[in-house]
Amino acid sequence: MKHKKKNFPTLKNDWLYSENQVFLKNIYQRFLRNPKKIDSIWYKIFKNIDNKKDLITYDNKDIGNSIINKKKKNDQNLKKNIFNNNTISIRERFLNLIRSFRKLGHYSAHLDPLNLAIKKNIMELSLDYYNFSKNELKELVNKDLFPYKIHLKSYYDIYILLKKTYCSSIGFEFMHLNKINEKIWLQKYIEKKIFSLYGIRKNKKNIIKGLIQSETFESFIHTKFPGTKRFSLEGCDVLIPMLKEIIQYGILNKTKKIFFGMAHRGRLNVMFNIFKCNIPQMYQNYFSNNDQSHYTGDVKYHLGAKITIKKNFHKIDIVLLDNPSHLEIITPIVLGQCKSFLDSTKTESDLSNNIIPIIIHGDAAFTGQGVIQETLNMSQVPGYCVFGSIHIIINNQIGFTTSKKKYLQSSTYCTDIAKMIDSPIFHVNADQPESVIFIIKLALKFRFLFKKDVFIDLVCYRRLGHNEADDPSITQPLLYKTIKNHKKVCDIYLNKINKFNNKYTKKTQKYYELYKIYLHHNLKNNINKKQIVNLYNNKIKKNQIIIDKIKNFSFSNLIKKMLHILTPPKNFLLHYQVKKIFDNRLKMIEGNSLWDWGSAEILSYAALIIKGITCRLSGEDVRRGTFSHRHAAVYCQNTGKTYIPLKNIFSTQNNFHIWDSVLSEEATLAFEYGYSISKNFSLNIWEAQFGDFVNGGQVIIDQFIVSGQQKWGHNSSIVLMLPHGYEGQGPEHSSARIERFLQLCAQKNMRVCIPTTPAQLYHLIQKQGTTILIKKPLIIFTPKSLLRNSKTFSTLKELSHGTFQKVLIQKKNISCNTIKKIIFCSGKIYYDLLKYYQKNNLSNILIMRLEQLYPFPTKSIKKVIHQFCFIENCIWCQEEPKNQGAWVFFYFNFKKYISNFFKNVQLQYIGRPKWASTAEGNLSSHKIEQHNIIKKACTPC
């Protein structure tokens, strides 16, 4: 067998990097002393280099650079030879030049307002590279050189145009797009309109006003409230005229809503100049006069805002979502709100025109936060698509305190990740306002036309520190020397336009004075307390039609509808296992079989749909169910077509949505939270594949779901379904971390439940979906093995006439005098205790399971235990380790509310000891431990 000759790509290319200079110097010195003692590959390389004497005369200094420069020159000459061939026409060479400008021009564009970035020298953009002669450049242009008409005569004129278009203050990246029609549209728009939109009088006036507003606001706050945090927009003032252009575009295109998401950089400026919030008042702490002391509120630069603008007989709502300091987490929440609005919009027109999602990012966060990748990945998926967003990256080139790009990212641009969804990227110099306005108009038109995300890399700088108390020169002394001497964008732009017409000088001075008066007026104005109260008014708006449907609901009608939808269409072949499940469901409806978990859940959604409630479910494999129990969507085995029974309750119906999500927790949970806060009379469920994986979305839980109402007054009714239970599947498939949710419970901020029967789940879902008063998030720890445990199943009567019970016991008729021990528990372990209880004929034990953990069901527990007078032992029994589960939570609540019923009786713990992990990895060990817990708990008194 012949061995293939080894290739050494590293030696062919990578050795030429300048970082290898010292290495090259040493090895070259060895070559000069004794060529035979170095590796044969290096020998050949140095042998082939011409002009050795020139290298030696450098006295061995800069040997690496000399070699690299020689190599570059040779490569350039080699490439140039491609176009030296006389057979290649001028037209072909020029077409290559045009393509190079479109593809590579952004590398040579003047993007950095501070002029610190080193521009790449791109050979393919030079005339010499293509070996053009002067006479050739003077030739007249062929008409078919562009796919549209041009008015330039010579090739040289076109070259100048291309250079101005692609290498000025805008860098265009669109040649990576896969769809030719998108590329052609962008080429035509950019090359024909880039200069025609500049210099429009109205644009100049709006730009100047926006810049003055932004700059004056920052200087006013800085003067009146020195040292306070505001996360200044200075250095990127052009954002204000940019956002105003978006609003104007939305009004002209009859857009109904614009949703904004942004971090704290420049947020107060946006709130004041776009949303008309009285920020100066807030700095004087008038905002703290809120009488509702049970709300904690949030810092100014996290708050959201809303404004309705009426213009030209059109009304547009503009919403800025509240956002914590977890920067990019707002991105999927914005999309969730947009999707909710789209789903509730009943119109025959193009849905994409109804909304504009605008997400403002920071450069370091955009490229550094994983939630961006997750969100982009799901942005074009049907269940999450909002027909594209406009992404504006405030690229201040510093990323908190790090100014060296190599410490921040591995890619050339912070926006390179956007290429994963085949979107155009536009880089623009923030000190060139007219270029910025051109780009935002281009981005909006592209998004409306092609329904795709567009990314704008707004290259700017940060004039002050990360916050106003921070001295950035500690870590960036040279950078901030440059910034200190750099003119503000408003001055730069005024100087530019005054060169052509000095009439703007007096007008701008007058506007400066008027705007300062406006700021002082806002500072003196008293705040309207009613407006503050409205921030926390999270009661659901009444919908009398739905209220009437809930009151007039008929369970018998529900059963009829279920019979109808469980019959699949003609020639629809069900999988044999699914057919068996559907046949069993028909028996349940007829009263011939008990209701299992999946069937009771489907019945609950059907009941809500009949009541007029919109239902949305999402999660990994949520249609079938992780444990193949739900089957809310079924598939024909012959054609692959999908049938969703719950979509067929009525002939015209659009109030049931179920989506198998992408493999993500953080972004999908954030999306569903965003969806839930803008929907009234809806049920919004996110299900984890296993409850253990919910910690992938912990930021959403901590910052939004459990605290959003306290901080911002948000009314979310989101439901988290988290499969939980110890069944020997190991540490990552056992625990949904009950203890973490219970630790976050306070001020009645949510409900935490562990239903142990299908009827309990049915009623829990009904209660959540039809709550008329203030809604709260609901956390449900759902079963796994119990899904097929027939002892858990419910009767039709329990579904039709029952209600959700916060506490359950093993049987109703118990002799009060014989009970000596009460075992408190929750979840699956109840059935393990019950099995042991029945097997050993224990009669002196009461097993009480808490179906609702929070709010703690004090009244329900007292109602049961008050009749038992001879209790000697009280036990809390759980599967989870002692430092996990509900033990600590139950202990303190028992001590506070229940212990006075049992004098001299201490609450004991029985369960696994404290563990760092959640569960055993070995099935045998699990069974032994589980058996010991049950046995110990049921030991006679």
Side-chain angles (χ1 to χ4, degrees):
M1 180 179 177
K2 291 184 179 180
H3 294 282
K4 290 184 179 179
K5 188 177 180 180
K6 291 184 179 180
N7 292 321
F8 297 91
T10 302
L11 295 177
K12 286 183 179 179
N13 301 305
D14 296 354
W15 67 277
L16 289 173
Y17 292 156
S18 59
E19 285 82 354
N20 292 334
Q21 181 175 331
V22 176
F23 171 75
L24 289 170
K25 176 180 176 180
N26 291 333
I27 199 167
Y28 187 69
Q29 285 175 340
R30 288 169 55 197
F31 168 76
L32 293 175
R33 286 196 296 269
N34 192 342
K36 293 182 180 179
K37 285 192 174 182
I38 67 169
D39 189 280
S40 59
I41 296 172
W42 283 114
Y43 176 81
K44 289 178 182 178
I45 289 171
F46 290 124
K47 196 73 176 174
N48 290 333
I49 294 176
D50 297 331
N51 302 324
K52 294 176 192 173
K53 291 179 181 179
D54 292 342
L55 289 173
I56 296 168
T57 57
Y58 279 100
D59 195 20
N60 296 326
K61 290 181 181 179
D62 296 327
I63 291 174
N65 284 341
S66 178
I67 296 170
I68 291 167
N69 291 336
K70 180 65 71 175
K71 178 68 174 173
K72 282 183 178 178
K73 189 174 181 181
N74 290 339
D75 286 348
Q76 187 172 344
N77 290 333
L78 180 64
K79 289 181 179 178
K80 203 190 274 190
N81 287 337
I82 297 171
F83 297 101
N84 278 337
N85 193 333
N86 292 328
T87 59
I88 301 178
S89 67
I90 183 173
R91 183 179 181 279
E92 287 181 73
R93 281 179 283 158
F94 218 87
L95 284 171
N96 276 280
L97 176 64
I98 293 169
R99 177 174 174 79
S100 295
F101 269 109
R102 289 168 177 166
K103 186 177 181 181
L104 306 171
H106 58 91
Y107 288 120
S108 293
H110 176 222
L111 302 177
D112 181 11
L114 301 175
N115 295 314
L116 295 176
I118 300 171
K119 291 195 289 186
K120 289 186 178 181
N121 183 23
I122 308 298
M123 295 181 297
E124 288 89 337
L125 303 182
S126 68
L127 293 170
D128 291 339
Y129 181 80
Y130 299 91
N131 201 30
F132 287 118
S133 67
K134 290 183 179 180
N135 291 330
E136 285 179 321
L137 293 173
K138 292 178 182 178
E139 287 185 21
L140 296 178
V141 177
N142 294 327
K143 291 182 179 180
D144 61 344
L145 197 64
F146 290 88
Y148 50 85
K149 291 182 180 180
I150 59 170
H151 301 290
L152 299 173
K153 296 181 179 180
S154 69
Y155 283 103
Y156 185 75
D157 291 337
I158 294 176
Y159 169 74
I160 296 300
L161 174 68
L162 291 170
K163 199 168 184 179
K164 285 182 179 179
T165 302
Y166 290 104
C167 299
S168 292
S169 56
I170 304 173
F172 299 95
E173 282 193 274
F174 63 90
M175 292 300 285
H176 59 276
L177 301 180
N178 289 317
K179 294 184 178 178
I180 296 174
N181 62 323
E182 294 174 1
K183 284 196 280 192
I184 291 174
W185 185 89
L186 283 167
Q187 289 170 14
K188 186 176 180 180
Y189 188 94
I190 292 165
E191 292 164 11
K192 288 192 73 176
K193 296 192 176 183
I194 190 164
F195 299 113
S196 63
L197 293 179
Y198 288 176
I200 297 175
R201 184 178 176 183
K202 189 178 178 182
N203 280 353
K204 292 181 188 297
K205 184 180 176 182
N206 292 337
I207 289 169
I208 292 169
K209 279 190 173 183
L211 293 175
I212 290 172
Q213 288 171 2
S214 178
E215 182 187 317
T216 310
F217 170 82
E218 297 292 353
S219 61
F220 179 84
I221 298 297
H222 188 71
T223 305
K224 293 292 181 181
F225 308 99
T228 55
K229 288 183 180 181
R230 72 178 189 275
F231 298 99
S232 165
L233 188 61
E234 291 175 83
C236 193
D237 302 88
V238 75
L239 182 68
I240 298 302
M242 190 182 193
L243 298 185
K244 290 191 173 188
E245 188 65 40
I246 293 170
I247 294 168
Q248 183 62 28
Y249 189 91
I251 292 170
L252 292 173
N253 286 273
K254 309 297 181 185
T255 300
K256 293 181 179 178
K257 276 200 176 187
I258 300 177
F259 291 93
F260 282 97
M262 69 180 298
H264 41 272
R265 174 71 54 209
R267 191 181 186 92
L268 294 179
N269 200 320
V270 170
M271 288 172 69
F272 184 76
N273 285 309
I274 303 297
F275 291 89
K276 310 305 177 186
C277 298
N278 200 327
I279 303 301
Q281 279 182 1
M282 294 168 67
Y283 270 98
Q284 288 210 16
N285 293 323
Y286 283 96
F287 194 76
S288 63
N289 290 336
N290 187 359
D291 295 328
Q292 299 193 30
S293 57
H294 55 285
Y295 288 105
T296 57
D298 202 348
V299 292
K300 296 177 286 293
Y301 38 82
H302 288 172
L303 298 176
K306 183 178 179 180
I307 189 171
T308 300
I309 297 175
K310 295 179 180 178
K311 191 174 181 181
N312 300 335
F313 305 102
H314 178 68
K315 184 177 76 172
I316 183 170
D317 292 324
I318 308 167
V319 181
L320 173 67
L321 275 65
D322 308 85
N323 189 27
S325 290
H326 293 66
L327 302 176
E328 297 299 336
I329 199 63
I330 197 65
T331 306
I333 293 176
V334 170
L335 301 190
Q337 280 234 321
C338 291
K339 186 65 175 178
S340 175
F341 181 73
L342 289 173
D343 284 349
S344 62
T345 303
K346 296 177 181 179
T347 177
E348 298 296 325
S349 62
D350 188 353
L351 284 174
S352 65
N353 291 337
N354 288 327
I355 57 160
I356 307 177
I358 307 292
I359 307 167
I360 304 168
H361 312 269
D363 54 328
F366 184 75
T367 193
Q369 299 286 304
V371 70
I372 291 297
Q373 185 277 333
E374 290 188 24
T375 306
L376 295 183
N377 180 52
M378 72 181 186
S379 64
Q380 300 299 318
V381 175
Y384 305 89
C385 179
V386 296
F387 308 110
S389 306
I390 304 294
H391 300 263
I392 302 170
I393 295 89
I394 298 179
N395 184 359
N396 56 34
Q397 308 178 77
I398 198 166
F400 192 67
T401 58
T402 307
S403 57
K404 292 185 178 179
K405 190 168 71 172
K406 65 180 181 180
Y407 296 157
L408 291 173
Q409 64 199 54
S410 299
S411 56
T412 302
Y413 297 114
C414 63
T415 51
D416 282 347
I417 191 173
K419 293 177 183 177
M420 69 177 281
I421 57 169
D422 202 35
S423 289
I425 303 164
F426 307 125
H427 313 274
V428 60
N429 187 325
D431 270 6
Q432 301 294 324
E434 290 182 6
S435 297
V436 173
I437 298 304
F438 172 80
I439 282 299
I440 192 60
K441 286 182 176 180
L442 168 59
L444 288 163
K445 287 180 180 179
F446 183 89
R447 184 259 171 187
F448 270 73
L449 184 61
F450 297 104
K451 299 171 178 48
K452 292 180 72 171
D453 291 62
V454 184
F455 296 82
I456 300 171
D457 179 15
L458 191 58
V459 185
C460 54
Y461 60 93
R462 193 185 69 196
R463 186 164 288 277
L464 303 176
H466 176 67
N467 62 66
E468 286 61 43
D470 178 38
D471 183 359
S473 63
I474 294 172
T475 50
Q476 292 95 18
L478 299 179
L479 173 64
Y480 273 85
K481 280 182 183 177
T482 305
I483 291 174
K484 188 177 180 180
N485 298 319
H486 187 74
K487 285 185 177 181
K488 293 184 177 181
V489 62
C490 196
D491 296 330
I492 293 171
Y493 188 61
L494 282 171
N495 290 337
K496 179 182 176 181
I497 61 175
N498 282 334
K499 286 180 182 179
F500 304 98
N501 193 337
N502 61 4
K503 68 178 182 180
Y504 290 101
T505 305
K506 290 183 179 179
K507 288 185 178 180
T508 52
Q509 190 60 40
K510 186 178 180 180
Y511 192 74
Y512 264 118
E513 292 170 3
L514 289 172
Y515 198 71
K516 285 177 183 177
I517 293 170
Y518 174 68
L519 283 162
H520 281 284
H521 176 73
N522 276 270
L523 185 62
K524 292 177 182 177
N525 250 353
N526 290 325
I527 193 164
N528 186 344
K529 291 185 178 180
K530 288 183 179 180
Q531 290 178 346
I532 297 174
V533 173
N534 287 338
L535 285 172
Y536 295 102
N537 183 15
N538 59 351
K539 290 186 178 180
I540 299 167
K541 294 178 182 178
K542 287 187 177 181
N543 184 322
Q544 196 59 46
I545 296 173
I546 293 178
I547 292 171
D548 291 342
K549 284 182 178 180
I550 293 170
K551 287 181 179 179
N552 299 325
F553 172 74
S554 166
F555 195 85
S556 59
N557 182 46
L558 170 63
I559 294 300
K560 290 178 182 178
K561 293 291 184 183
M562 286 294 290
L563 281 169
H564 167 68
I565 65 175
L566 286 174
T567 305
K570 289 183 179 180
N571 302 319
F572 194 97
L573 181 63
L574 293 171
H575 188 278
Y576 73 96
Q577 290 182 352
V578 176
K579 188 178 185 307
K580 185 179 178 182
I581 290 169
F582 271 45
D583 289 344
N584 286 336
R585 287 179 181 175
L586 290 171
K587 292 178 182 178
M588 295 170 199
I589 290 168
E590 293 164 358
N592 297 325
S593 181
L594 294 174
W595 284 75
D596 61 28
W597 291 82
S599 305
E601 185 185 345
I602 295 295
L603 184 72
S604 186
Y605 301 142
L608 289 176
I609 292 166
I610 291 171
K611 293 173 184 177
I613 307 299
T614 298
C615 299
R616 176 183 166 94
L617 288 80
S618 81
E620 294 159 23
D621 204 15
V622 74
R623 287 185 166 189
R624 187 199 69 171
T626 300
F627 310 101
S628 195
H629 69 288
R630 185 175 289 121
H631 298 287
V634 293
Y635 305 90
C636 177
Q637 298 301 296
N638 287 333
T639 63
K641 288 184 178 180
T642 306
Y643 172 64
I644 301 176
L646 290 168
K647 276 188 172 290
N648 292 273
I649 291 177
F650 301 110
S651 56
T652 56
Q653 180 189 332
N654 189 33
N655 58 345
F656 181 75
H657 313 280
I658 184 164
W659 299 102
D660 290 330
S661 76
V662 298
L663 192 63
S664 159
E665 279 75 42
E666 186 175 24
T668 52
L669 180 54
F671 185 97
E672 299 305 330
Y673 173 79
Y675 193 99
S676 71
I677 58 177
S678 62
K679 291 285 281 189
N680 291 329
F681 294 100
S682 67
L683 181 77
N684 194 194
I685 296 176
W686 178 82
E687 183 180 55
Q689 191 181 50
F690 280 82
D692 310 65
F693 305 146
V694 72
N695 56 12
Q698 197 66 45
V699 171
I700 316 303
I701 296 164
D702 293 344
Q703 309 307 131
F704 293 91
I705 292 174
V706 305
S707 60
Q709 189 178 26
Q710 288 297 314
K711 293 190 292 187
W712 311 309
H714 282 330
N715 176 34
S716 171
S717 59
I718 191 170
V719 180
L720 271 61
M721 284 188 170
L722 310 175
H724 174 92
Y726 280 59
E727 292 146 358
Q729 294 190 64
E732 273 70 55
H733 295 83
S734 298
S735 174
R737 294 288 190 174
I738 294 173
E739 67 281 356
R740 291 182 179 171
F741 287 94
L742 294 177
Q743 185 187 38
L744 296 169
C745 290
Q747 299 174 297
K748 297 182 179 178
N749 59 336
M750 58 180 167
R751 282 198 300 159
V752 179
C753 300
I754 312 182
T756 55
T757 70
Q760 284 284 85
L761 179 63
Y762 172 87
H763 295 302
L764 193 56
I765 292 172
Q766 289 299 298
K767 188 175 181 180
Q768 184 71 2
T770 57
T771 300
I772 303 300
L773 299 176
I774 296 173
K775 284 193 173 185
K776 303 280 186 180
L778 171 62
I779 315 301
I780 307 177
F781 295 97
T782 53
K784 295 183 289 184
S785 63
L786 294 187
L787 292 171
R788 291 175 176 80
N789 186 337
S790 59
K791 290 187 177 181
T792 70
F793 294 172
S794 303
T795 64
L796 187 61
K797 187 177 181 180
E798 288 172 329
L799 292 164
S800 59
H801 293 85
T803 57
F804 178 73
Q805 302 298 313
K806 296 176 182 178
V807 169
L808 292 173
I809 56 177
Q810 73 265 38
K811 55 183 179 180
K812 292 182 179 180
N813 299 320
I814 297 177
S815 176
C816 300
N817 298 329
T818 60
I819 299 299
K820 300 294 178 69
K821 177 191 283 189
I822 297 179
I823 301 176
F824 295 95
C825 66
S826 195
K828 181 186 77 70
I829 200 169
Y830 163 75
Y831 290 100
D832 295 335
L833 291 166
L834 182 65
K835 185 178 179 181
Y836 191 94
Y837 171 89
Q838 293 173 340
K839 184 178 179 182
N840 294 277
N841 296 317
L842 303 176
S843 58
N844 62 345
I845 296 176
L846 175 73
I847 307 175
M848 182 186 297
R849 61 197 190 270
L850 276 63
E851 301 284 290
Q852 178 175 296
L853 289 170
Y854 186 83
F856 190 73
T858 305
K859 290 183 180 178
S860 300
I861 293 173
K862 286 181 178 179
K863 188 177 179 181
V864 174
I865 63 175
H866 83 278
Q867 55 190 312
F868 301 102
C869 305
F870 303 101
I871 302 301
E872 298 175 2
N873 291 87
C874 285
I875 289 170
W876 173 261
C877 183
Q878 68 177 35
E879 299 177 303
E880 300 85 3
K882 191 174 183 180
N883 58 325
Q884 299 167 36
W887 158 242
V888 174
F889 174 83
F890 183 80
Y891 171 80
F892 284 107
N893 280 281
F894 179 88
K895 194 174 181 180
K896 185 175 182 179
Y897 301 114
I898 311 298
S899 59
N900 58 336
F901 276 81
F902 307 109
K903 295 180 180 179
N904 302 320
V905 176
Q906 296 294 318
L907 179 66
Q908 294 177 291
Y909 168 81
I910 293 178
R912 287 170 170 79
K914 290 183 179 181
W915 283 353
S917 181
T918 53
E920 309 91 336
N922 182 277
L923 180 60
S924 300
S925 301
H926 161 79
K927 287 181 177 179
I928 293 168
E929 190 70 41
Q930 195 80 357
H931 175 76
N932 291 338
I933 291 169
I934 303 303
K935 186 177 180 182
K936 188 176 180 181
C938 294
T939 301
C941 301

